């Protein structure tokens, strides 16, 4: 069965909203990556999301809302949460906060935790869908669990044949990396996943933030191996190995690679982030021995790119 793909005009968005309200799953673009959406208040729809992605049930989902007023009904907002949302919503930032007891959101979404991850996406198609559906939408990235996230509708169709009623085609997603995940549910803020809202920008607003992997509570979904293509991935490559393909960054590229795709010739981190997942997919072909990646600077958006690359290169289970 191939999923139905429709250009995301108003008729398709209305159809998608009706499908969501009926408990079906719809893939839709956000400014970060494509999401596989289901009605967050419907247990069966949420269970279907886990099944479609083959996602482990201990890995909780992000709930998408229109704005802070919607979020208020689902989570307990503290001062740092209000400040951060006022500054970065709508946008690529997810906040982890205590659930409102009467939130009405399926408990499956939180995978047994007493917190909820919530974000207001900026993409106009995601906003239009939330408005029409008129309910919170639980949506993980629209890829098979453990694989590279989908930044184009074709990636969704490749990865998820079963269980997706409709793919809303809004073209490639502008940012290309998943949202920053910030845990504000405890005493001090903790970065669970780096993303387009940078650690630098969050620190400027909130003061010290615990980095990922510190002693504070960790995101259950942050498995070492994730975002993985089929081929092995080798990081910080400075010279070629036999029959390797290269993801290049910057103009100065070592010779001898079987194929080269440029994340960014000019060394632009935003451009590299937008290209990362689509290029990993394009190079993931059995004719190559592996995918090598040139060094990426570890600041700003580079932190998020390197986080995804380290997981792509981690030993597979
Ligand atoms: O950009 C994004 O965030 C995309 C788009 C579709 O919005 N979504 C996305 O979802 O990347 P997903 O499921 O692929 O990643 C969600 C991350 C996982 O690492 C998960 O463990 C973490 O958020 N998470 C969700 N709920 C959590 C919670 N209550 N506490 C801690 N981490 C949580
Ligand atoms: Mg994901």
């Amino acid at each position: 069965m191939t999923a139905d793909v429709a250009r995301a005009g108003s008729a398709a968005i209305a159809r998608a909203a009706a499908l969501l309200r009926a408990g079906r799953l719809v893939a839709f673009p956000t400014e970060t990556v494509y999401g596989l959406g289901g009605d967050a208040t419907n247990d069966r729809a949420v269970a279907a999301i886990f099944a479609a992605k083959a996602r482990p049930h201990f890995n909780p989902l992000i709930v998408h809302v229109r704005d802070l007023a919607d979020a208020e009904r689902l989570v307990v907002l503290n001062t740092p949460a209000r400040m951060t949302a006022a500054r970065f919503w709508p946008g690529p930032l997810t906040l982890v906060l205590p659930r409102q007891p009467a939130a009405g959101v399926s408990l499956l979404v939180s995978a047994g935790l007493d917190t909820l991850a919530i974000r207001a996406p900026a993409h106009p198609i995601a906003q239009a869908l939330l408005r029409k559906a008129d309910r919170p939408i639980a949506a993980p990235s629209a890829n098979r669990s453990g694989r590279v996230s989908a930044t184009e509708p074709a990636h969704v169709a490749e990865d998820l044949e079963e269980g997706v009623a409709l793919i809303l085609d809004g073209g490639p997603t502008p940012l290309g990396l998943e949202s920053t995940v910030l845990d504000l549910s405890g005493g001090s803020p903790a970065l669970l996943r780096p993303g387009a809202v940078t650690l630098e920008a969050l620190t400027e607003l909130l003061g010290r933030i615990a980095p990922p992997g510190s002693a504070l509570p960790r995101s259950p979904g942050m498995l070492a191996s994730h975002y993985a293509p089929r081929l092995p991935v080798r990081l910080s490559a400075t010279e070629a190995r036999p029959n390797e393909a290269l993801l290049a960054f910057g103009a100065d590229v070592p010779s001898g690679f079987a194929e080269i795709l440029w994340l960014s010739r000019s060394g632009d981190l935003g451009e590299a982030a937008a290209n990362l997942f689509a290029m990993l997919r394009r190079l993931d072909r059995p004719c190559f021995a592996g995918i090598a990646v040139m060094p990426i600077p570890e600041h700003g958006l580079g932190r998020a790119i390197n986080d995804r690359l380290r997981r792509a290169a981690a030993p597979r289970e």
Side-chain angles (χ1 to χ4, degrees):
M1 185 186 99
T2 39
D4 189 2
V5 184
R7 218 181 51 80
S10 55
I13 291 171
R15 180 150 70 95
L19 286 164
L20 284 172
R21 295 174 69 99
R24 308 285 302 281
L25 305 187
V26 170
F28 64 98
T30 79
E31 69 276 32
T32 59
V33 298
Y34 273 76
L36 177 64
D39 177 353
T41 66
N42 179 333
D43 285 324
R44 296 181 63 161
V46 174
I49 295 175
F50 282 94
K53 282 189 55 122
R55 181 176 177 112
H57 281 85
F58 57 77
N59 190 0
L61 306 179
I62 296 173
V63 172
H64 297 68
V65 293
R66 282 170 300 191
D67 52 25
L68 192 61
D70 279 0
E72 195 121 34
R73 293 187 203 109
L74 308 184
V75 290
V76 182
L77 293 166
N78 48 35
T79 305
R82 285 182 197 283
M83 282 167 59
T84 328
R87 174 77 179 274
F88 296 109
W89 278 6
L93 177 70
T94 296
L95 300 178
V96 173
L97 290 163
R99 290 174 67 107
Q100 286 283 10
V105 167
S106 167
L107 288 170
L108 283 176
V109 167
S110 295
L113 303 171
D114 51 12
T115 54
L116 202 60
I118 196 156
R119 96 169 174 102
H123 198 292
I125 296 170
Q127 278 287 336
L129 183 63
L130 282 162
R131 248 188 335 268
K132 271 272 172 206
D134 194 26
R135 60 198 55 202
I137 300 176
S141 50
N143 51 279
R144 265 191 96 70
S145 183
R147 323 256 352 152
V148 177
S149 297
T151 58
E152 297 173 17
H155 303 160
V156 183
E158 260 162 48
D159 267 30
L160 306 173
E161 288 150 29
E162 303 282 319
V164 188
L166 179 64
I167 300 173
L168 281 180
D169 180 352
T173 57
L175 295 175
L177 286 184
E178 307 81 357
S179 62
T180 304
V181 180
L182 181 68
D183 186 349
L184 294 176
S185 68
S188 52
L191 185 69
L192 300 183
R193 181 173 72 184
V197 173
T198 62
L199 180 60
E200 289 88 340
L202 290 169
T203 306
E204 200 184 300
L205 187 68
L206 298 175
R208 199 189 120 66
I209 293 169
S214 57
L216 284 152
R218 298 195 41 192
S219 211
M222 295 305 272
L223 306 174
S225 171
H226 209 89
Y227 313 107
R230 288 176 185 82
L231 288 180
V233 175
R234 187 166 71 87
L235 303 184
S236 300
T238 49
E239 82 291 288
R241 291 192 187 159
N243 206 28
E244 260 183 343
L246 179 71
L247 275 182
F249 183 80
D252 210 4
V253 170
S255 61
F257 287 95
E259 182 160 338
I260 301 178
L261 292 179
W262 264 271
L263 289 170
S264 170
R265 266 183 212 266
S266 64
D268 181 89
L269 290 169
E271 185 188 2
N275 283 329
L276 178 66
F277 288 141
M279 288 185 173
L280 276 173
R281 281 179 187 260
R282 271 166 63 194
L283 292 181
D284 194 15
R285 303 204 304 266
C287 59
F288 301 126
I291 302 172
V293 191
M294 286 174 66
I296 311 282
E298 181 75 11
H299 60 76
L301 202 44
R303 241 185 258 283
I305 297 173
N306 284 323
D307 168 73
R308 307 310 187 270
L309 283 171
R310 278 191 290 272
R311 289 173 214 285
R316 318 279 163 85
E317 287 98 52

